[in-house]
Coordinates of all heavy atoms in Angstrom, one line a residue:
M1 N 57.3 114.7 156.1 CA 56.0 114.9 155.4 C 56.3 115.5 154.0 O 55.7 115.0 153.0 CB 55.1 115.8 156.2 CG 53.8 116.0 155.5 SD 52.7 116.9 156.6 CE 51.8 117.8 155.5
W2 N 57.1 116.6 154.0 CA 57.4 117.2 152.7 C 58.1 116.3 151.7 O 58.0 116.3 150.6 CB 58.2 118.5 152.9 CG 57.3 119.6 153.5 CD1 57.4 120.1 154.8 CD2 56.2 120.3 152.9 NE1 56.4 121.0 155.0 CE2 55.7 121.2 153.8 CE3 55.6 120.2 151.6 CZ2 54.6 122.0 153.6 CZ3 54.6 121.0 151.4 CH2 54.0 121.9 152.3
L3 N 59.0 115.5 152.3 CA 59.7 114.5 151.5 C 58.8 113.5 150.9 O 58.9 113.2 149.7 CB 60.7 113.8 152.4 CG 61.6 112.7 151.7 CD1 62.4 113.3 150.6 CD2 62.4 112.0 152.7
G4 N 57.8 113.1 151.6 CA 56.8 112.1 151.1 C 56.0 112.8 149.9 O 55.7 112.1 148.9
I5 N 55.6 114.0 150.2 CA 54.8 114.7 149.1 C 55.7 114.9 147.9 O 55.2 114.7 146.7 CB 54.3 116.1 149.6 CG1 53.2 115.8 150.7 CG2 53.7 116.9 148.5 CD1 52.8 117.1 151.4
G6 N 56.9 115.3 148.1 CA 57.9 115.4 146.9 C 58.1 114.1 146.2 O 58.0 114.1 144.9
L7 N 58.3 113.0 146.9 CA 58.4 111.7 146.2 C 57.2 111.3 145.5 O 57.2 110.7 144.4 CB 58.8 110.7 147.3 CG 60.2 110.8 147.9 CD1 60.4 109.8 149.0 CD2 61.3 110.6 146.8
L8 N 56.0 111.6 146.1 CA 54.8 111.2 145.4 C 54.6 112.1 144.1 O 54.2 111.5 143.1 CB 53.6 111.5 146.4 CG 52.2 111.0 145.9 CD1 52.3 109.5 145.6 CD2 51.2 111.3 146.9
A9 N 55.0 113.3 144.2 CA 54.9 114.2 143.0 C 55.8 113.7 141.9 O 55.5 113.7 140.7 CB 55.2 115.6 143.4
L10 N 57.1 113.3 142.3 CA 58.0 112.8 141.3 C 57.5 111.5 140.7 O 57.7 111.3 139.5 CB 59.4 112.6 142.0 CG 60.2 113.8 142.2 CD1 61.5 113.5 143.1 CD2 60.6 114.5 140.9
A11 N 57.0 110.6 141.5 CA 56.4 109.4 141.0 C 55.3 109.6 140.0 O 55.2 109.0 138.9 CB 56.0 108.5 142.1
G12 N 54.4 110.6 140.3 CA 53.3 110.9 139.5 C 53.8 111.5 138.1 O 53.3 111.2 137.1
A13 N 54.8 112.4 138.2 CA 55.4 113.0 137.0 C 56.0 111.9 136.1 O 55.9 111.9 134.9 CB 56.4 114.1 137.4
F14 N 56.7 111.0 136.7 CA 57.4 109.9 136.0 C 56.3 109.0 135.3 O 56.5 108.7 134.1 CB 58.2 109.0 137.0 CG 58.8 107.9 136.3 CD1 60.0 108.0 135.5 CD2 58.3 106.6 136.4 CE1 60.6 107.0 134.9 CE2 58.9 105.5 135.8 CZ 60.1 105.7 135.1
V15 N 55.2 108.7 136.0 CA 54.2 107.9 135.3 C 53.5 108.6 134.2 O 53.3 108.1 133.1 CB 53.1 107.4 136.4 CG1 51.9 106.9 135.8 CG2 53.8 106.5 137.4
W16 N 53.3 109.9 134.4 CA 52.7 110.8 133.4 C 53.6 110.8 132.1 O 53.1 110.7 131.0 CB 52.4 112.1 133.9 CG 51.8 113.1 132.9 CD1 50.5 113.1 132.4 CD2 52.5 114.2 132.3 NE1 50.4 114.1 131.6 CE2 51.5 114.8 131.5 CE3 53.7 114.7 132.4 CZ2 51.9 115.9 130.7 CZ3 54.0 115.8 131.7 CH2 53.1 116.4 130.8
L17 N 54.9 111.1 132.3 CA 55.8 111.2 131.2 C 55.9 109.8 130.5 O 56.0 109.8 129.2 CB 57.2 111.6 131.7 CG 57.3 113.1 132.1 CD1 58.6 113.3 132.7 CD2 57.1 114.0 130.9
M18 N 55.9 108.7 131.2 CA 56.0 107.4 130.5 C 54.8 107.2 129.7 O 54.8 106.6 128.6 CB 56.3 106.3 131.6 CG 57.6 106.4 132.3 SD 59.0 106.5 131.1 CE 58.9 104.9 130.4
G19 N 53.6 107.5 130.2 CA 52.4 107.4 129.5 C 52.3 108.2 128.2 O 51.9 107.7 127.2
R20 N 52.9 109.4 128.3 CA 52.9 110.2 127.1 C 53.9 109.7 126.0 O 53.6 109.6 124.9 CB 53.4 111.6 127.4 CG 52.4 112.5 128.1 CD 52.8 113.9 128.2 NE 53.3 114.4 126.9 CZ 53.8 115.6 126.7 NH1 53.9 116.4 127.7 NH2 54.2 116.0 125.5
S21 N 55.0 109.1 126.5 CA 56.0 108.5 125.6 C 55.4 107.3 124.9 O 55.6 107.1 123.7 CB 57.2 108.2 126.4 OG 58.1 107.4 125.7
R22 N 54.7 106.5 125.7 CA 54.2 105.3 125.1 C 53.1 105.6 124.1 O 53.0 105.0 123.1 CB 53.6 104.4 126.3 CG 53.3 103.0 125.9 CD 52.9 102.1 127.1 NE 54.0 102.1 128.0 CZ 53.8 102.3 129.3 NH1 52.6 102.6 129.8 NH2 54.8 102.3 130.2
H23 N 52.2 106.6 124.4 CA 51.2 107.0 123.5 C 51.8 107.6 122.2 O 51.3 107.3 121.2 CB 50.3 108.1 124.2 CG 49.2 108.7 123.3 ND1 48.2 108.0 122.9 CD2 49.2 109.9 122.7 CE1 47.4 108.7 122.0 NE2 48.0 109.9 121.9
R24 N 52.8 108.4 122.4 CA 53.4 109.0 121.2 C 54.1 108.0 120.3 O 54.0 108.0 119.1 CB 54.5 110.0 121.6 CG 55.0 110.8 120.5 CD 56.0 111.9 121.0 NE 55.3 112.8 121.9 CZ 55.9 113.3 122.9 NH1 57.1 113.0 123.2 NH2 55.2 114.1 123.7
S25 N 54.7 106.9 120.9 CA 55.3 105.9 120.1 C 54.3 105.0 119.4 O 54.5 104.6 118.2 CB 56.3 105.0 120.9 OG 55.5 104.3 121.9
R26 N 53.1 104.8 120.0 CA 52.1 104.1 119.3 C 51.5 104.9 118.1 O 51.2 104.4 117.1 CB 51.0 103.7 120.2 CG 51.3 102.5 121.1 CD 50.0 102.0 121.8 NE 49.3 103.1 122.5 CZ 49.2 103.2 123.8 NH1 49.8 102.3 124.5 NH2 48.6 104.2 124.4
R27 N 51.3 106.2 118.3 CA 50.7 107.0 117.4 C 51.6 107.1 116.1 O 51.1 107.2 115.0 CB 50.5 108.4 117.9 CG 49.8 109.3 117.0 CD 49.5 110.7 117.7 NE 50.7 111.3 118.0 CZ 50.9 112.3 118.9 NH1 49.9 112.7 119.5 NH2 52.1 112.8 119.1
H28 N 52.9 107.1 116.3 CA 53.8 107.3 115.1 C 54.4 106.0 114.7 O 55.4 106.0 113.9 CB 54.9 108.3 115.5 CG 54.4 109.7 115.8 ND1 53.8 110.4 114.8 CD2 54.5 110.4 116.9 CE1 53.5 111.6 115.3 NE2 53.9 111.6 116.6
A29 N 53.9 104.9 115.1 CA 54.5 103.6 114.8 C 54.5 103.3 113.3 O 55.4 102.7 112.7 CB 53.8 102.4 115.5
G30 N 53.5 103.8 112.6 CA 53.4 103.6 111.1 C 54.2 104.6 110.3 O 54.4 104.4 109.1
D31 N 54.7 105.6 110.9 CA 55.5 106.6 110.2 C 56.9 106.0 109.8 O 57.5 105.2 110.5 CB 55.8 107.9 111.1 CG 54.5 108.7 111.3 OD1 53.5 108.4 110.7 OD2 54.6 109.5 112.2
T32 N 57.3 106.4 108.6 CA 58.7 106.0 108.2 C 59.6 107.1 108.6 O 59.4 108.2 108.5 CB 58.7 105.7 106.7 OG1 58.4 106.9 106.0 CG2 57.8 104.6 106.3
I33 N 60.8 106.7 109.1 CA 61.8 107.6 109.5 C 63.0 107.4 108.6 O 63.5 106.3 108.5 CB 62.2 107.4 111.0 CG1 61.0 107.6 111.9 CG2 63.4 108.3 111.4 CD1 61.3 107.2 113.3
E34 N 63.4 108.5 108.0 CA 64.6 108.5 107.1 C 65.8 108.8 108.1 O 66.1 109.9 108.4 CB 64.5 109.5 106.0 CG 63.3 109.2 105.1 CD 63.3 110.3 104.0 OE1 64.3 110.9 103.6 OE2 62.1 110.5 103.5
R35 N 66.4 107.7 108.5 CA 67.5 107.8 109.5 C 68.6 108.7 109.0 O 69.2 109.5 109.8 CB 68.1 106.4 109.9 CG 67.0 105.6 110.5 CD 66.8 106.0 111.9 NE 65.8 105.1 112.5 CZ 65.1 105.4 113.6 NH1 65.4 106.6 114.2 NH2 64.2 104.6 114.1
D36 N 69.0 108.6 107.7 CA 70.1 109.5 107.3 C 69.8 110.9 107.3 O 70.6 111.8 107.7 CB 70.6 109.0 105.9 CG 69.4 109.0 104.9 OD1 68.3 108.9 105.3 OD2 69.8 109.2 103.7
V37 N 68.5 111.3 107.0 CA 68.1 112.7 107.0 C 68.0 113.2 108.5 O 68.5 114.3 108.8 CB 66.7 112.8 106.3 CG1 66.2 114.2 106.5 CG2 66.8 112.4 104.9
L38 N 67.5 112.3 109.4 CA 67.5 112.7 110.8 C 68.9 112.9 111.4 O 69.1 113.8 112.1 CB 66.7 111.6 111.5 CG 66.6 111.8 113.0 CD1 65.8 113.0 113.3 CD2 65.9 110.6 113.7
E39 N 69.8 112.0 111.0 CA 71.1 112.1 111.6 C 71.8 113.4 111.0 O 72.5 114.0 111.8 CB 72.0 110.9 111.2 CG 71.5 109.7 112.0 CD 72.2 108.4 111.5 OE1 73.1 108.5 110.6 OE2 71.9 107.3 112.1
E40 N 71.6 113.7 109.8 CA 72.2 115.0 109.2 C 71.6 116.2 110.0 O 72.3 117.1 110.3 CB 71.8 115.1 107.7 CG 72.5 116.2 107.1 CD 72.1 116.3 105.6 OE1 71.6 115.4 105.0 OE2 72.4 117.4 105.0
A41 N 70.3 116.2 110.2 CA 69.7 117.3 110.9 C 70.3 117.4 112.3 O 70.6 118.5 112.8 CB 68.2 117.2 111.0
E42 N 70.4 116.3 113.0 CA 71.0 116.3 114.4 C 72.4 116.8 114.4 O 72.8 117.5 115.3 CB 70.9 114.9 115.0 CG 69.4 114.5 115.3 CD 69.3 113.1 115.8 OE1 70.3 112.3 115.8 OE2 68.3 112.7 116.3
R43 N 73.2 116.4 113.4 CA 74.6 116.9 113.3 C 74.6 118.4 113.1 O 75.4 119.1 113.7 CB 75.3 116.2 112.2 CG 76.0 114.9 112.6 CD 77.0 114.4 111.5 NE 76.4 114.3 110.2 CZ 75.7 113.3 109.7 NH1 75.5 112.3 110.5 NH2 75.2 113.3 108.5
E44 N 73.8 118.9 112.3 CA 73.8 120.4 112.1 C 73.4 121.1 113.3 O 74.0 122.2 113.6 CB 72.8 120.7 111.0 CG 73.3 120.3 109.6 CD 72.4 120.8 108.5 OE1 71.4 121.5 108.7 OE2 72.7 120.5 107.3
V45 N 72.5 120.6 114.1 CA 72.1 121.3 115.4 C 73.3 121.1 116.4 O 73.6 122.1 117.1 CB 70.8 120.6 115.9 CG1 70.5 121.1 117.3 CG2 69.6 121.0 115.0
Q46 N 73.9 120.0 116.4 CA 75.0 119.8 117.4 C 76.2 120.7 117.0 O 77.0 121.0 117.9 CB 75.4 118.3 117.4 CG 74.4 117.4 118.0 CD 74.8 116.0 117.9 OE1 75.7 115.6 117.2 NE2 74.0 115.1 118.6
D47 N 76.4 121.0 115.8 CA 77.5 121.9 115.4 C 77.3 123.3 115.7 O 78.3 124.1 115.6 CB 77.7 121.7 113.8 CG 78.3 120.3 113.5 OD1 78.8 119.7 114.4 OD2 78.2 120.0 112.3
L48 N 76.1 123.7 116.1 CA 75.9 125.1 116.5 C 76.6 125.4 117.8 O 76.8 124.6 118.6 CB 74.4 125.4 116.7 CG 73.5 125.4 115.4 CD1 72.1 125.6 115.8 CD2 74.0 126.6 114.5
D49 N 77.0 126.7 118.0 CA 77.6 127.1 119.2 C 76.6 127.1 120.3 O 75.4 127.3 120.1 CB 78.2 128.6 119.0 CG 78.9 129.0 120.2 OD1 80.0 128.6 120.4 OD2 78.4 129.9 120.9
A50 N 77.0 126.8 121.5 CA 76.1 126.8 122.6 C 75.4 128.1 122.9 O 74.3 128.1 123.5 CB 76.8 126.3 123.9
M51 N 76.0 129.2 122.5 CA 75.4 130.5 122.8 C 74.6 131.1 121.6 O 74.2 132.2 121.6 CB 76.6 131.5 123.1 CG 77.3 131.1 124.4 SD 76.3 130.9 125.9 CE 75.8 132.6 126.1
T52 N 74.3 130.2 120.6 CA 73.5 130.6 119.5 C 72.1 130.9 119.9 O 71.5 130.1 120.5 CB 73.6 129.5 118.4 OG1 74.9 129.3 118.0 CG2 72.8 130.0 117.1
S53 N 71.6 132.1 119.6 CA 70.2 132.4 119.9 C 69.3 131.6 119.0 O 69.6 131.2 117.8 CB 70.0 133.9 119.8 OG 70.0 134.3 118.4
P54 N 68.0 131.5 119.4 CA 67.0 130.8 118.5 C 66.9 131.5 117.1 O 66.8 130.9 116.1 CB 65.7 130.9 119.2 CG 66.2 130.9 120.7 CD 67.4 131.7 120.7
D55 N 67.0 132.9 117.1 CA 66.9 133.6 115.9 C 68.1 133.4 115.0 O 67.9 133.2 113.8 CB 66.7 135.1 116.2 CG 65.4 135.5 116.8 OD1 64.4 134.8 116.5 OD2 65.3 136.5 117.5
D56 N 69.3 133.3 115.6 CA 70.5 133.0 114.8 C 70.4 131.6 114.2 O 70.8 131.3 113.1 CB 71.7 133.2 115.6 CG 72.0 134.6 116.0 OD1 71.5 135.5 115.2 OD2 72.7 134.9 116.9
A57 N 69.9 130.7 115.1 CA 69.8 129.3 114.6 C 68.8 129.1 113.5 O 69.1 128.4 112.5 CB 69.4 128.4 115.8
D58 N 67.8 129.9 113.5 CA 66.8 129.9 112.5 C 67.4 130.3 111.2 O 67.0 129.8 110.1 CB 65.6 130.8 112.9 CG 64.4 130.6 111.9 OD1 64.2 129.4 111.5 OD2 63.7 131.6 111.7
Q59 N 68.3 131.3 111.2 CA 69.0 131.8 110.0 C 70.0 130.8 109.5 O 70.2 130.7 108.3 CB 69.6 133.2 110.3 CG 68.6 134.3 110.6 CD 67.7 134.6 109.5 OE1 68.1 134.6 108.3 NE2 66.4 134.8 109.8
E60 N 70.7 130.1 110.4 CA 71.8 129.3 110.0 C 71.4 127.9 109.5 O 72.0 127.3 108.7 CB 72.8 129.1 111.2 CG 73.5 130.3 111.5 CD 74.5 130.1 112.6 OE1 75.1 129.0 112.7 OE2 74.7 131.0 113.4
L61 N 70.3 127.4 110.0 CA 69.8 126.0 109.7 C 68.8 126.0 108.6 O 67.9 126.9 108.6 CB 69.3 125.3 111.0 CG 70.3 125.2 112.1 CD1 69.6 124.6 113.3 CD2 71.4 124.2 111.7
P62 N 68.8 125.0 107.8 CA 67.7 124.9 106.8 C 66.4 124.4 107.5 O 66.4 124.0 108.6 CB 68.3 123.8 105.9 CG 69.2 123.0 106.7 CD 69.8 123.9 107.7
D63 N 65.3 124.5 106.8 CA 64.1 124.1 107.3 C 63.9 122.6 107.2 O 64.0 122.1 106.1 CB 62.9 124.8 106.5 CG 61.6 124.5 107.1 OD1 61.5 123.9 108.2 OD2 60.6 124.9 106.4
W64 N 63.8 122.0 108.3 CA 63.6 120.5 108.3 C 62.2 120.1 108.6 O 61.9 118.9 108.8 CB 64.5 119.9 109.4 CG 66.0 119.9 109.0 CD1 66.9 120.9 109.4 CD2 66.7 119.0 108.2 NE1 68.1 120.6 108.9 CE2 68.0 119.5 108.2 CE3 66.3 117.9 107.6 CZ2 69.0 118.8 107.4 CZ3 67.3 117.2 106.9 CH2 68.6 117.7 106.8
G65 N 61.3 121.1 108.7 CA 59.9 120.8 109.1 C 59.1 120.0 108.0 O 59.6 119.8 106.9
P66 N 58.0 119.6 108.4 CA 57.1 118.9 107.4 C 56.8 119.7 106.2 O 56.5 120.9 106.3 CB 55.8 118.6 108.2 CG 56.2 118.7 109.6 CD 57.3 119.7 109.7
G67 N 56.9 119.2 105.1 CA 56.6 119.9 103.8 C 57.7 120.8 103.3 O 57.6 121.5 102.3
A68 N 58.9 120.7 104.0 CA 60.1 121.5 103.5 C 60.6 120.8 102.3 O 60.7 119.6 102.1 CB 61.1 121.5 104.6
P69 N 61.0 121.7 101.3 CA 61.5 121.1 100.1 C 62.9 120.4 100.3 O 63.7 120.8 101.2 CB 61.7 122.3 99.2 CG 61.8 123.5 100.1 CD 61.0 123.1 101.3
R70 N 63.1 119.3 99.7 CA 64.3 118.6 99.8 C 65.3 119.1 98.9 O 65.1 119.5 97.8 CB 64.1 117.1 99.5 CG 63.2 116.4 100.5 CD 63.1 115.0 100.1 NE 62.2 114.3 101.1 CZ 62.2 113.1 101.3 NH1 63.0 112.3 100.7 NH2 61.3 112.6 102.1
S71 N 66.6 119.2 99.4 CA 67.6 119.8 98.6 C 68.5 118.8 97.9 O 68.5 117.6 98.3 CB 68.5 120.8 99.4 OG 68.8 120.2 100.6

């Protein structure tokens, strides 16, 4: 019985996550993505030490958020 409830909960969570993903991709379909800027940001995050705290990461990484000045 508990196995059935667990499987049903997992299936529901999967459907919910897929629906959010699909909605998000439709909403941002018109956005342009600068792949080189995105890849640079991802490399900087990957280069951080695994034990870096969020506060330390905030100090080490540049602001990549919307409206951030380009360098």
Side-chain angles (χ1 to χ4, degrees):
M1 179 173 150
W2 288 108
L3 179 63
I5 293 172
L7 290 174
L8 188 60
L10 283 173
F14 178 77
V15 169
W16 178 73
L17 286 172
M18 294 307 293
R20 284 188 53 182
S21 169
R22 195 171 302 131
H23 174 72
R24 188 176 300 142
S25 66
R26 277 195 308 251
R27 185 177 62 198
H28 295 298
D31 292 349
T32 57
I33 298 174
E34 297 179 27
R35 296 286 178 196
D36 56 336
V37 174
L38 178 61
E39 288 173 3
E40 183 182 348
E42 288 176 349
R43 269 193 308 276
E44 288 185 3
V45 171
Q46 289 173 353
D47 289 342
L48 288 176
D49 184 73
M51 299 304 291
T52 303
S53 72
D55 290 333
D56 291 339
D58 191 37
Q59 295 297 321
E60 291 182 34
L61 297 174
D63 184 9
W64 287 95
R70 294 183 183 202
S71 46

